[in-house]
Amino acid sequence: MTDHTAYEIDNSGIEPNRNHSSNPHFADILQKRRQFLKGSLSTAVVAFMGTSLVGCGGDDDNDNRSSSSSSSSSSAPASSSSSAASSSVAPLLGFTAIATTRADAITVPTGYTATAFVPWGTPLTGSMPAFKADASNTGAEQEQQVGAHHDGIHFFPMDAKTTATNSSEGLLVMNHEYIDHNLMHPNGPTLGATRPTDEVRKEIAAHGVSVIHIRKNGSNWEVVNGSPFNRRITGATPMDIRGPASGSAKLATKYSPNGTSTRGTLNNCGMGSTPWNTYLTAEENWAGYFVNKDATPPREHKEYSVPANNGRYYWELADSGADEYIRFDASTKGASAVDDYRNEPNTFGWMVEIDPFDPESRPQKRTALGRFGHEGVIFAPAVEGQPIVCYSGDDSTNEYIYKFVSAEPYHKATAGGYLLNTGTLYAAKFNADGTGEWLPLDITNSNFIAKAATAGVTFADQADVLINTRLAADVMGATKMDRPEWGAVHPETGEVYFTLTNNTGRTTTDAANPRANNATGHIIRWRETANSNTSFNWDIFLLGGDVGTTTGEGASAVALTADNHFASPDGLWMDPRGVLWIQTDMSGSQQASGPYGNNQMLAADPVTKQVKRFFVGPVDAEVTGVTATPDMKTLFVNIQHPGDRSTPTNFTSHWPEGGNARPRSATVIVTKNDGGMIGA
Ligand code: FEO
Ligand code: CA
Ligand code: CA
């Protein structure tokens, strides 16, 4: 019989602690950072944020706020020693905060409505197979249905490439990060010496990305059935490998002897939308899907914790023995790399570009952005004639934050994925004095060459650097972080925010990660130095924790209250008005026993640090991924893994259908009952 416990995914535990390099933590930075936030809130805010803050054209509330904060420190928000609710500027957040709850439902503020949409199994393409409540759909049917475990999501208005104002029709593109084995099949997974091939086929098909053409019908949203844009990309879809690692001998496989293609994308967590309206999907905890039983696995596997005994879901054991399944066994079997799949894991760990407006296009793995546990990617505002800049975090304990700067300049008229094929990848170092450095991971850079030599680490070429991005960042002395998750960039100032979700393994306190046994996480932010690719200034925006948890000191201190206490920040999005949306991914036990209730989404004003809880998810779920129509009147929020502590016969959640229904990941549509903008 199946041992279901072998399959359980514990979100708090799937990111291994790989990083044993001697790079410094932020050990004594905090004390110095406190100097940074001394004085009134207004002084601190203006000192950090500069003078061109949060211009939020159009909306009355924001006009007032923008003008009051963009001229000088004397007109910046009034100081407040607790939450900034008493600020003299008009609040950006016009709703009443909701309380924590453990309801098996979506909870939103008074005056708002939340509706589940496109749950796992929604028919999407081909013969449009209906979802079966007992989860008995086949693999072939799953390939034509919306995948499981909704995560990063983006709404592309149908006129994205021109005016980008269409708020009633567009392409909703979303990730399907993983599966709950206990819920995927009628009786859970079947495991023996082999696995039934169709179970494996179904599980692979439940991963990947959905492109869903949607439009408004009256006040409701519907899927445009039969649209040529509707598309499933799965863990089996053929993809190209582009950029500096394309063609590397370390990517050569039986499937692609020249190392230029692979099949599928896996564990797609966060995402990013490019300035040229394509979708980048992140490959996060991909390593666990493979197995390498070799006595001495290569560093490309070891540094990413490719398992030695079995893949997470035992896909390598599919009883057909077909090539598409045995590829998950990366053990050395043949005479050379083109005779087996020893390099298959090297074709994962990348950012993958998908053009949702070109249904025939092949996804492109963009190797210049590095290979690690990509949580997502966020682009700085594109500037005509300047390089493209984007940021990505490696969500694993003590891993790094990265930046990519394109070699080619951005021109709106001709911009495309080629911009992501050449450029420089940097890793972040946070200095004690509040400055930061971007360290180039570039085999032609003399500093990199010297550091690698000192460390005794050899890279054959830039492809080797990128395939071993973590090692390259170790070599350069990047700063170990408390599990970098999503980033957000202010659309006008370019200021960058990143969630650091938690790190209960931290024993040495430090500054950008200032707490030992950091169970509740925090949010860091920085601003790039003008005319420099390699320096920035940073501070801690907000510490997660229970009521009373305080960020900053003295007059600038901001304390969490019952309206906004939270833990394990993960998803992050800055909307066009400058509202920062913070989503949480607390573990099951933290939700069950902590003071926070179920996972939630909060809205924050980055200037005043006013924070209000806006949304609470159902039982045993994560709130992850958020996007909106251009008019900000429809918000799309993803709910992932409701009831993830279920067994095949005992569901801990019945969301969204209720009753005795099997729980299913789904998107939630949030609207304001008066038809207004969300959060205003
Ligand atoms: Fe998929 Fe780091 O969350
Ligand atoms: Ca996440
Ligand atoms: Ca997480």
Side-chain angles (χ1 to χ4, degrees), residues 35 56 76 139 162 255-256 265 340 342 364 385 392 502 658:
Q35 305 294 328
C56 308
T162 53
Y255 175 76
S256 179
T265 185
D340 60 24
R342 70 188 68 175
Q364 310 282 306
S392 184
N502 58 54

Side-chain angles (χ1 to χ4, degrees), residues 329-340:
D329 184 346
S331 308
T332 300
K333 294 175 176 176
S336 73
V338 300
D339 300 309
D340 60 24

Side-chain angles (χ1 to χ4, degrees), residues 151 177 269-270 284 375 395 485-486 570-571 585 622 624:
D151 205 319
E177 188 180 24
C269 191
E284 189 193 12
E375 176 72 18
D395 181 11
E485 297 252 23
W486 290 50
D570 189 336
D585 178 19
E622 170 183 350
T624 179

Side-chain angles (χ1 to χ4, degrees), residues 221-255:
W221 286 89
E222 63 182 19
V223 176
V224 182
N225 289 333
S227 166
F229 294 108
N230 292 335
R231 184 180 185 189
R232 278 306 321 282
I233 290 156
T234 75
T237 302
M239 310 197 166
D240 295 329
I241 300 171
R242 304 297 302 276
S246 181
S248 163
K250 290 191 174 179
L251 301 186
T253 62
K254 189 176 176 185
Y255 175 76

Side-chain angles (χ1 to χ4, degrees), residues 11 14-15 151 177-178 267-270 282 284-285 373-376 393-396 483-486 501 570-571 585 622 624 640:
N11 282 340
I14 53 176
E15 288 85 7
D151 205 319
E177 188 180 24
Y178 66 98
N267 211 266
N268 304 91
C269 191
E284 189 193 12
N285 291 301
H374 280 280
E375 176 72 18
D394 183 353
D395 181 11
S396 197
R483 294 185 50 199
E485 297 252 23
W486 290 50
T501 196
D570 189 336
D585 178 19
E622 170 183 350
T624 179
Q640 186 186 98

Side-chain angles (χ1 to χ4, degrees), residues 399-422:
E399 291 299 338
Y400 306 119
I401 292 173
Y402 297 88
K403 174 173 86 163
F404 172 80
V405 180
S406 69
E408 300 290 326
Y410 169 79
H411 294 290
K412 184 173 169 51
T414 56
Y418 70 90
L419 289 166
L420 302 179
N421 284 342
T422 54

